[in-house]
Amino acid sequence: MRLDDLLGRAVLVFDGAMGTMLQARGLPAGACPDLWNLERPDAVVAVHREYVAAGAQIIETNTFGATPARLAHYGLADKCHAITVAGVRCAREAAEGRALVAGSMGPLGALVEPLGELTFDEAYAQFAAQARAFAEARPDFIIVETIADLNELRAAVLACKDHAPSIRIIAQITIDPSGRAFTGTDPETAGLVLQSLGADVIGFNCSVGPDLLVDAVARMARVVRVPISVQPNAGLPLLTPDGTTRFPMGPEEFAAYGPKLVAAGASLVGGCCGTTPEHIRRLRAAVEEMKPTGQPGPLSETLGLASRTRSLFFVEQNLPVVIGERINPTGRKLLTRDIKEGAFARVRDEAKKQVAAGAAVLDVNVGVPLIDEPAAMAQAVRVIQGAVDVPLCLDSPNADALEAGLKACVGKPLVNSFSLEEGRAEAVLPVAKRYGAAVLGLTIDERGIPASAQQRLEIARRLVAAAEAYGIPRHDVVIDPLALTAGAQQAEARETLRAIQWITDELGVRTSLGVSNVSFGLPNRPFLNAVYLTMAVTMGLSMAIMNPLEERMMDTVRALRLFLNRDRNARVYMQEVGPKRLVHTVEEALKIAAGEGRAASPGAAGIPAAKGTSAADDTSAADGARAADGARAADDTSAADGVRVAADTPATAGTPVADGTPASTAPALAAATAPAPDAGVPGPDPAGDALGRRL
Amino acid sequence: MRLDDLLGRAVLVFDGAMGTMLQARGLPAGACPDLWNLERPDAVVAVHREYVAAGAQIIETNTFGATPARLAHYGLADKCHAITVAGVRCAREAAEGRALVAGSMGPLGALVEPLGELTFDEAYAQFAAQARAFAEARPDFIIVETIADLNELRAAVLACKDHAPSIRIIAQITIDPSGRAFTGTDPETAGLVLQSLGADVIGFNCSVGPDLLVDAVARMARVVRVPISVQPNAGLPLLTPDGTTRFPMGPEEFAAYGPKLVAAGASLVGGCCGTTPEHIRRLRAAVEEMKPTGQPGPLSETLGLASRTRSLFFVEQNLPVVIGERINPTGRKLLTRDIKEGAFARVRDEAKKQVAAGAAVLDVNVGVPLIDEPAAMAQAVRVIQGAVDVPLCLDSPNADALEAGLKACVGKPLVNSFSLEEGRAEAVLPVAKRYGAAVLGLTIDERGIPASAQQRLEIARRLVAAAEAYGIPRHDVVIDPLALTAGAQQAEARETLRAIQWITDELGVRTSLGVSNVSFGLPNRPFLNAVYLTMAVTMGLSMAIMNPLEERMMDTVRALRLFLNRDRNARVYMQEVGPKRLVHTVEEALKIAAGEGRAASPGAAGIPAAKGTSAADDTSAADGARAADGARAADDTSAADGVRVAADTPATAGTPVADGTPASTAPALAAATAPAPDAGVPGPDPAGDALGRRL
Ligand SMILES: [Zn+2]
Ligand SMILES: [Zn+2]
Ligand SMILES: [Zn+2]
């Protein structure tokens, strides 16, 4: 078996630090390390050889700073190509076929907008220049690393995909001791976004030691199906009295974390700053006998959307997801005027108000006639992402506007929409795939909107197939079976509800609906909309595009979540907690699932009205109090982690887990997705129950 | 094959009039015809022989007036037994094995309470006396005939079942030229109630000619599975100038209606007043080659409840049925006091108000401690049936109170409730079966209320089996999976919803729920109740026990019926018509089904928002107008027929019928229950779609 066939099946070991090793060989402080690929290739090859001799199975080229922008600090901007190609040559020479070569691509050293001055296109051009050199030199991987800004990572991954399309990409984010990147991105969000963008391996490097990365690896492992890599520093750097930096963790201590990182989900391990060939030798020995867990994350087949900092997974406990519809100029004069004039204060305001009211996603539509809609869409995305931290739903019939929004959007948005109308899928799907977005498909074909649920289902099948043909996985496809006006198409109001169930049951995808159209022309529209929303959610609707500022609609969502047992102890409904947060952190959701396993088990089922169960009642009250405490504890940590996920995935879950499941590790989450044989609430068809079969 | 094996498989012909034939043989006007069984058996036998010679396959004994009460007019009250036994002997002698013998049992000649002075028990005793004689004489049938009062018919059928349990019962009601009995009972209600009481053959005789009975037979045929018999007079009687009565229809004209009656659904035909052996000879010849339609009525496997005058079938178009819950003293001081004092004006008032608000069934609970609850229940039933014409739901934990209510209730009520608690099914089910009631089973077993949907389903299976073991058919069983308090048993609020679906899908029975309990202890209860009701109906709930005076709940029901396409053109929702009637006549429902077949067919599906469908839109608008006209026309006739049924039955229907189906005959109704292959809205599982699979 060739070494690169082992990816994901065996634990592979990277090398360690390069710069300090070159300094030890005479590289002056302040000199350009990458230039040695051309000037002192013997030294570079020698360092590589030390790591290969120590057992490294993948060695990184000495090209970390070889983008033109970084080389410009040394007046070497025009040497990007030569240095990069020479770096790969040095590594190949040292590897002698005993190690794979990963072409290193580091940060630009300047922040990308909106954090800094560099435009996204400028960043992209920098990475593209180095990627073209790698495309020629052909390392086994390009490793994009030591970058903390998710937007900069996006630019790098896109540039590699475009300019070195046949070379596998390892994308590594750098996080703080807090567990997040300094820009706020958490491990799940990094995993979700980078995987959607097409990275082949995702992970972490630098900044902190292995002790602080075990949990980050475990969190990322929940959401990705690709291998995870991790290259810690030799501990947190200490400044010594003489002004130099010292890394406190010796080889033995460092290597002791190897098995923990692998157990948490990593299948590629290595070292970053402060590590030496001895660290790597010990590390290789520590993990030599281990296998990667090899499990795709329990949420890796679940629809997830993300802002820059947070992820929202469409697990049962978080449904229905409210998508705020108010950033849309249709029928709104002031908003239309503002967008036409390029004034986005009202857009920002609508974003904040909707999120405060409970919207978990915001629809963004800037469709004003005769404007530069792509520019307006990009600007709206930037303004909204500067104001709130929820994922976006980019809404336009204009494919160019969608592309501009996708490029501007940091995170994983939903593209609204495509259909089977002439040319629409072909225009939208490749762009959505390129930027790693989920897609919303409308059940419209060449002939328009069909009459029946059956025809809607047939179109939905074709929509899913079309998305899959462009490489968008099925779980990233959302189907909108279109709510029509009950006043004019009364039978179809029911057909749409049926279609929700059939599409959910057969295709296993999430569904969305803009419900307000259903009441057009009828009296008491808000009331009718709330009833129809209730029916749709009962039939399995996953998300509603609606106005979160309408109290009646939000009250309805809260009541639905109460009755569907997705609002544990009615906390949100009772408004016992401050903000009306309608989605759960993964810890909350795990506690809910575990608590439900208890409450619903035959022994503990308490029914006050029924005879002979009062003792059980006392038990369940105690359980309730415990669960509430647990949820509050999870709340406290949620500010730090900020991930909104829940325990069961649509593909396999549904049955609450049994008691005693640990609540904060990846294996626990995996356990939550397997049916618990002794759970009290088994359905006749536990497998079909995955999406709740409507409930 | 023996003659009586042909019942229901061949058309059988009865004899004709007896009294006029005896008069022709010398019976003096004003004399007791039945006495001739003892005094002139030769003449009686001779008349029977004429009919047998004419081709009659069933001859009726000369015992029509031989109940003690009727014989008392001639001072012969003590001759009931002798005359009845002799009547059977005469008929057997004449039949010589070539005809079956039906023992005739006529009306008492005095009205039963509440219409007259005779108590139900007194009427029962009269019929029981004659039934005991028949039990000894053993005719092939007892034929209860020429009775217009459904309550008197109930007494007669119960007496025959009790005192001649092995003899088959033919029960015939007498209707006016209006198509109803003079007491208001319509043909469907007569069929529904008499079949539930256990009559083996049901039909009509006397009062009108065959021309006016074809439609009545067709209407009854919709709802019964037993054979239908019909014995018209020889036309409507004319008073001649000399003061005698003349029947205008000659043998040829009379016999010409035979095939029409058989085509309408009758399988036993004969003559009543004014018919002669020649009428019967012609009739036999006219139907000799015909087969009975042999089809059980399309609504015969559908839950139906009835007042004295009207029937309510639980077909999809009529769901959810609102059961008014307000006649219940729990927590109501004034109502408690009234019931304790035997004052029922408040009960009457609650009945009227609830029906005016849209209740289609009324729950009757008089559970006040320390009262004679059976007496109170019977009195409440009488008072309510005197005030409104909707079916009742008799609600008590006291089996004696249920029995008293059942005896007092004219029509087909629902018994609320039985369960698997110790002794409860054994106490309730035999009584319910005896009085022909439907039964509501609570999912409670020996251990109380279970926690999970699965356990509720398992109990529901046992409830259905228990009812069937007592001879109550499955479609007369309603299951209540019990809504618990979401504040205390949050997971179970969802389990109850799941149970509705599972019980409906697996057992094919109707479900009921008292929803208000779900919100106990939570803020904004009416809002929560409406949301939960919406979820339950979406999951397939058939009926809700609720407060129809709560506008929000009734608005919710109306909105649900709109979105489920059960309120054609939103007529009720839009309040375009006066009373907010929430159930349909059979004609309305047929028009809805036919109209829907049009509107939902792919060609006519109009979607204004979609391209290329504006022409189709015009079509569907025209269809809508036509359907509205049709519905209004049906409205006009509904005062006359008053039957509340709809087109599709839970057992087989679901797919709308195609266009062009005639809308007012029994075959049309049968057609409506078969899937239309070209209908526009086929499901992936048309069979499973019968109950709408929740929709
Ligand atoms: Zn580092
Ligand atoms: Zn007659
Ligand atoms: Zn007669």
Side-chain angles (χ1 to χ4, degrees):
Chain A
M1 186 181 288
R2 296 184 338 169
L3 199 53
D4 59 355
D5 290 335
L6 291 174
L7 189 64
R9 274 181 288 212
V11 176
L12 296 179
V13 176
F14 283 103
D15 58 6
M18 170 62 73
T20 43
M21 299 287 288
L22 292 178
Q23 283 164 9
R25 279 181 160 71
L27 177 71
C32 174
D34 310 71
L35 186 59
W36 273 29
N37 296 341
L38 296 175
E39 297 188 343
R40 290 287 311 279
D42 60 308
V44 174
V45 170
V47 174
H48 285 320
R49 286 208 165 116
E50 281 195 63
Y51 280 118
V52 173
Q57 294 156 294
I58 307 177
I59 55 174
E60 288 191 41
T61 60
N62 180 37
T63 56
F64 178 83
T67 47
R70 284 288 286 265
L71 291 174
H73 293 297
Y74 308 98
L76 300 169
D78 61 337
K79 296 285 187 205
C80 166
H81 188 89
I83 289 173
T84 298
V85 170
V88 175
R89 198 185 311 125
C90 292
R92 283 281 184 221
E93 183 182 332
E96 291 179 332
R98 293 159 55 206
L100 297 171
V101 172
S104 174
M105 185 182 268
L108 299 176
L111 289 172
V112 180
E113 62 179 1
L115 303 174
E117 300 290 302
L118 209 59
T119 70
F120 185 85
D121 286 340
E122 288 166 346
Y124 173 89
Q126 290 293 321
F127 292 120
Q130 194 175 15
R132 281 191 295 270
F134 281 131
E136 183 182 320
R138 306 211 58 74
D140 298 292
F141 302 93
I142 301 175
I143 180 164
V144 178
E145 59 172 327
T146 327
I147 297 177
D149 172 6
L150 189 61
N151 205 19
E152 189 175 352
L153 272 166
R154 289 172 69 235
V157 172
L158 285 172
C160 292
K161 280 174 61 180
D162 290 346
H163 296 281
S166 65
I167 302 178
R168 282 175 297 195
I169 302 168
I170 301 170
Q172 289 178 170
I173 194 166
T174 294
I175 63 171
D176 285 348
S178 74
R180 295 169 169 267
F182 84 86
T183 57
T185 303
D186 64 33
E188 291 89 347
T189 300
L192 180 65
V193 172
L194 294 171
Q195 177 168 271
S196 292
L197 280 170
D200 300 284
V201 177
I202 305 171
F204 307 90
N205 74 297
C206 204
S207 193
V208 296
D211 47 337
L212 295 178
L213 285 172
V214 173
D215 188 54
V217 166
R219 289 176 58 183
M220 183 179 278
R222 297 162 166 173
V223 306
V224 301
R225 53 190 177 279
V226 298
I228 292 177
S229 63
V230 58
Q231 300 170 319
N233 287 350
L236 282 171
L238 304 170
L239 272 179
T240 55
D242 61 356
T244 61
T245 304
R246 194 175 70 82
F247 289 89
M249 208 175 266
E252 192 164 2
E253 187 186 358
F254 181 85
Y257 284 100
K260 293 175 185 166
L261 291 166
V262 172
S267 56
L268 298 94
V269 294
C272 197
C273 307
T275 59
T276 65
E278 188 56 21
H279 285 80
I280 298 305
R281 188 183 332 275
R282 299 279 192 131
L283 180 62
R284 173 83 192 264
V287 302
E288 181 92 60
E289 304 292 317
M290 295 188 78
K291 288 264 179 209
T293 60
Q295 297 286 347
L299 292 172
S300 66
E301 304 288 323
T302 298
L303 174 63
L305 301 180
S307 67
R308 177 195 281 271
T309 57
R310 290 169 177 270
S311 299
L312 168 62
F313 286 92
F314 285 63
V315 291
E316 189 194 328
Q317 292 288 349
N318 283 336
L319 306 185
V321 167
V322 173
I323 304 183
E325 71 182 4
R326 289 180 56 81
I327 301 176
N328 188 325
T330 310
R332 298 183 63 188
K333 276 189 187 159
L334 295 177
L335 194 56
T336 299
R337 189 199 60 194
D338 281 6
I339 291 171
K340 198 175 285 179
E341 293 174 356
F344 285 86
R346 202 177 300 273
V347 167
R348 176 185 290 113
D349 188 49
E350 287 288 3
K352 287 182 172 174
K353 282 195 297 190
Q354 291 185 92
V355 170
V361 177
L362 293 181
D363 192 74
V364 184
N365 182 314
V366 292
V368 172
L370 304 175
I371 64 163
D372 180 353
E373 192 182 330
M377 177 64 90
Q379 185 59 17
V381 166
R382 280 188 286 262
V383 166
I384 296 163
Q385 291 210 303
V388 295
D389 68 349
V390 300
L392 303 185
C393 174
L394 307 176
D395 179 5
S396 175
N398 179 331
D400 292 336
L402 289 177
E403 178 160 14
L406 283 163
K407 192 202 255 184
C409 186
V410 184
K412 181 180 174 189
L414 177 64
V415 170
N416 181 6
S417 58
F418 76 110
S419 73
L420 299 178
E421 287 169 297
E422 179 73 29
R424 184 79 186 150
E426 296 77 0
V428 170
L429 293 175
V431 186
K433 170 62 183 173
R434 171 174 165 74
Y435 287 98
V439 291
L440 191 155
L442 309 176
T443 56
I444 306 177
D445 68 5
E446 308 78 4
R447 292 163 302 176
I449 304 173
S452 71
Q454 179 64 32
Q455 290 164 311
R456 281 172 165 83
L457 172 62
E458 284 158 13
I459 293 176
R461 288 187 193 125
R462 293 172 58 202
L463 290 167
V464 170
E468 288 182 328
Y470 282 100
I472 298 172
R474 167 176 297 241
H475 61 262
D476 275 346
V477 182
V478 177
I479 300 293
D480 183 337
L482 296 167
L484 300 177
T485 304
Q489 279 99 24
Q490 194 180 356
E492 292 185 43
R494 186 185 53 182
E495 292 305 297
T496 298
L497 296 173
R498 285 183 161 147
I500 291 168
Q501 183 193 335
W502 296 351
I503 289 167
T504 304
D505 284 358
E506 179 183 312
L507 300 175
V509 299
R510 293 304 187 187
T511 52
S512 178
L513 209 60
V515 295
S516 59
N517 197 32
V518 81
S519 62
F520 187 80
L522 293 168
N524 204 356
R525 292 193 63 181
F527 168 73
L528 284 181
N529 291 345
V531 170
Y532 197 70
L533 173 66
T534 303
M535 299 176 83
V537 170
T538 306
M539 294 300 279
L541 185 71
S542 320
M543 57 193 101
I545 301 184
M546 55 179 255
N547 181 356
L549 304 188
E550 273 184 17
E551 265 300 306
R552 189 200 298 262
M553 290 296 272
M554 292 306 284
D555 283 347
T556 299
V557 170
R558 285 185 280 268
L560 282 163
R561 292 170 51 77
L562 170 66
F563 289 135
L564 292 169
N565 201 20
R566 296 171 187 169
D567 175 17
R568 183 68 173 168
N569 294 319
R571 276 170 61 230
V572 173
Y573 184 81
M574 299 288 282
Q575 309 182 346
E576 285 180 2
V577 292
K580 294 180 177 175
R581 205 151 48 81
L582 292 177
V583 289
H584 296 278
T585 66
V586 67
E587 280 72 21
E588 282 173 331
L590 280 166
K591 297 225 187 244
I592 289 166
E596 190 170 291
R598 276 199 297 274
S601 71
I607 320 290
K611 60 190 178 189
T613 52
S614 55
D617 213 32
D618 295 339
T619 311
S620 86
D623 274 1
R626 237 183 295 138
D629 287 346
R632 201 149 304 123
D635 242 19
D636 295 338
T637 59
S638 74
D641 70 30
V643 185
R644 298 165 167 186
V645 295
D648 42 9
T649 71
T652 54
T655 319
V657 295
D659 200 354
T661 307
S664 62
T665 66
L669 204 68
T673 68
D678 58 345
V681 195
D685 175 14
D689 207 34
L691 286 162
R693 282 181 65 91
R694 268 139 280 106
L695 278 176
Chain B
M1 186 181 288
R2 297 186 335 170
L3 199 53
D4 61 353
D5 289 336
L6 292 173
L7 189 64
R9 276 182 288 211
V11 175
L12 296 178
V13 176
F14 282 104
D15 58 5
M18 168 63 73
T20 44
M21 298 288 286
L22 291 179
Q23 282 165 8
R25 276 180 161 72
L27 177 73
C32 174
D34 310 70
L35 186 60
W36 272 29
N37 295 341
L38 297 176
E39 295 189 344
R40 288 288 312 279
D42 60 309
V44 174
V45 170
V47 174
H48 284 319
R49 286 208 166 116
E50 281 195 64
Y51 279 118
V52 173
Q57 295 157 294
I58 309 177
I59 56 175
E60 286 191 43
T61 59
N62 180 37
T63 57
F64 178 82
T67 47
R70 284 289 284 266
L71 292 174
H73 293 296
Y74 309 98
L76 300 169
D78 61 339
K79 297 286 187 204
C80 166
H81 189 87
I83 289 174
T84 299
V85 170
V88 175
R89 196 185 314 122
C90 292
R92 284 279 185 224
E93 181 179 335
E96 292 181 330
R98 293 159 55 207
L100 298 170
V101 171
S104 175
M105 184 182 269
L108 300 176
L111 289 172
V112 180
E113 60 179 4
L115 304 173
E117 300 290 304
L118 209 60
T119 68
F120 185 85
D121 286 341
E122 287 165 349
Y124 174 89
Q126 290 293 322
F127 293 121
Q130 193 174 17
R132 281 191 294 270
F134 281 131
E136 181 181 324
R138 307 211 56 76
D140 298 292
F141 301 93
I142 300 175
I143 179 165
V144 178
E145 58 173 327
T146 326
I147 297 178
D149 173 5
L150 188 62
N151 205 20
E152 190 175 352
L153 272 165
R154 290 173 68 236
V157 171
L158 284 173
C160 293
K161 281 175 59 180
D162 291 345
H163 296 281
S166 65
I167 303 178
R168 281 175 296 195
I169 303 167
I170 303 171
Q172 290 178 168
I173 194 167
T174 294
I175 64 171
D176 286 346
S178 74
R180 295 168 168 268
F182 84 87
T183 57
T185 303
D186 64 33
E188 290 90 345
T189 300
L192 180 65
V193 172
L194 294 170
Q195 176 168 270
S196 292
L197 280 171
D200 300 285
V201 176
I202 305 170
F204 307 91
N205 75 295
C206 205
S207 191
V208 296
D211 46 337
L212 294 179
L213 285 172
V214 172
D215 188 53
V217 167
R219 288 176 57 184
M220 184 179 279
R222 295 163 168 172
V223 307
V224 301
R225 54 190 177 277
V226 298
I228 292 177
S229 64
V230 57
Q231 300 171 318
N233 288 349
L236 283 171
L238 303 169
L239 272 178
T240 57
D242 61 355
T244 63
T245 303
R246 194 173 71 78
F247 288 90
M249 208 175 267
E252 191 164 5
E253 189 187 356
F254 181 85
Y257 283 101
K260 291 174 187 167
L261 291 166
V262 172
S267 56
L268 298 94
V269 293
C272 197
C273 308
T275 58
T276 64
E278 187 56 21
H279 285 79
I280 297 305
R281 189 183 330 277
R282 299 277 192 134
L283 180 61
R284 172 83 192 265
V287 301
E288 181 91 62
E289 304 291 317
M290 294 188 79
K291 288 263 180 208
T293 59
Q295 297 286 347
L299 293 173
S300 66
E301 303 288 324
T302 299
L303 174 63
L305 301 180
S307 66
R308 177 194 280 271
T309 57
R310 292 168 176 270
S311 300
L312 168 62
F313 285 91
F314 284 63
V315 291
E316 190 193 327
Q317 292 289 347
N318 283 337
L319 305 185
V321 167
V322 172
I323 304 183
E325 71 182 4
R326 289 179 56 82
I327 301 175
N328 188 325
T330 309
R332 297 182 65 190
K333 277 190 185 157
L334 295 176
L335 194 57
T336 299
R337 188 199 61 195
D338 282 7
I339 291 171
K340 197 174 285 179
E341 294 175 354
F344 285 86
R346 203 177 300 272
V347 167
R348 178 185 288 114
D349 188 48
E350 287 288 3
K352 286 183 173 176
K353 282 196 296 188
Q354 290 184 92
V355 171
V361 176
L362 294 182
D363 193 74
V364 184
N365 183 314
V366 293
V368 172
L370 304 174
I371 64 163
D372 179 352
E373 193 182 330
M377 176 65 90
Q379 184 60 14
V381 166
R382 280 188 287 263
V383 165
I384 295 164
Q385 291 209 303
V388 295
D389 68 349
V390 299
L392 303 185
C393 175
L394 308 176
D395 180 4
S396 176
N398 178 332
D400 292 336
L402 289 177
E403 178 159 17
L406 282 163
K407 193 202 257 186
C409 185
V410 186
K412 181 179 174 189
L414 178 64
V415 170
N416 183 6
S417 58
F418 77 110
S419 73
L420 298 178
E421 287 168 296
E422 179 74 30
R424 184 79 187 149
E426 296 76 2
V428 170
L429 292 175
V431 186
K433 169 64 182 172
R434 170 174 165 75
Y435 288 98
V439 291
L440 192 154
L442 308 177
T443 55
I444 305 177
D445 68 6
E446 307 78 3
R447 293 164 300 176
I449 303 173
S452 72
Q454 179 64 31
Q455 290 163 311
R456 283 171 163 85
L457 172 63
E458 283 159 13
I459 294 176
R461 288 186 193 126
R462 293 172 58 201
L463 291 167
V464 169
E468 288 182 328
Y470 283 98
I472 298 172
R474 168 177 298 241
H475 61 263
D476 275 346
V477 182
V478 177
I479 300 293
D480 184 336
L482 297 166
L484 300 176
T485 303
Q489 279 98 22
Q490 192 179 359
E492 291 186 43
R494 187 184 54 183
E495 291 306 297
T496 298
L497 295 173
R498 283 184 162 145
I500 291 169
Q501 183 194 333
W502 295 352
I503 290 166
T504 303
D505 285 358
E506 180 184 310
L507 300 175
V509 300
R510 294 304 188 187
T511 51
S512 179
L513 209 61
V515 296
S516 58
N517 197 31
V518 82
S519 61
F520 186 79
L522 292 168
N524 205 355
R525 291 192 63 183
F527 167 74
L528 284 180
N529 291 345
V531 170
Y532 198 69
L533 173 66
T534 303
M535 299 176 83
V537 170
T538 306
M539 294 300 279
L541 184 72
S542 319
M543 59 194 99
I545 301 184
M546 55 179 255
N547 180 357
L549 304 189
E550 272 185 15
E551 265 299 305
R552 190 201 296 262
M553 290 296 271
M554 292 305 284
D555 283 346
T556 300
V557 170
R558 285 185 280 269
L560 282 164
R561 292 171 50 78
L562 170 66
F563 289 134
L564 292 169
N565 202 21
R566 296 170 187 169
D567 175 17
R568 183 66 174 169
N569 294 319
R571 276 168 62 229
V572 174
Y573 184 82
M574 299 287 282
Q575 309 182 343
E576 285 179 2
V577 292
K580 294 180 178 177
R581 207 152 46 82
L582 291 178
V583 290
H584 295 278
T585 65
V586 68
E587 280 72 23
E588 283 174 330
L590 280 166
K591 296 222 189 250
I592 290 167
E596 192 171 286
R598 275 200 299 277
S601 69
I607 320 292
K611 61 190 174 185
T613 51
S614 54
D617 214 32
D618 294 339
T619 312
S620 83
D623 275 2
R626 238 183 294 139
D629 286 346
R632 201 151 300 125
D635 242 17
D636 294 338
T637 59
S638 75
D641 68 31
V643 186
R644 296 164 169 186
V645 296
D648 41 8
T649 70
T652 55
T655 319
V657 295
D659 197 356
T661 309
S664 62
T665 64
L669 203 69
T673 68
D678 58 347
V681 194
D685 175 13
D689 207 36
L691 285 163
R693 282 179 65 91
R694 266 138 278 107
L695 280 176

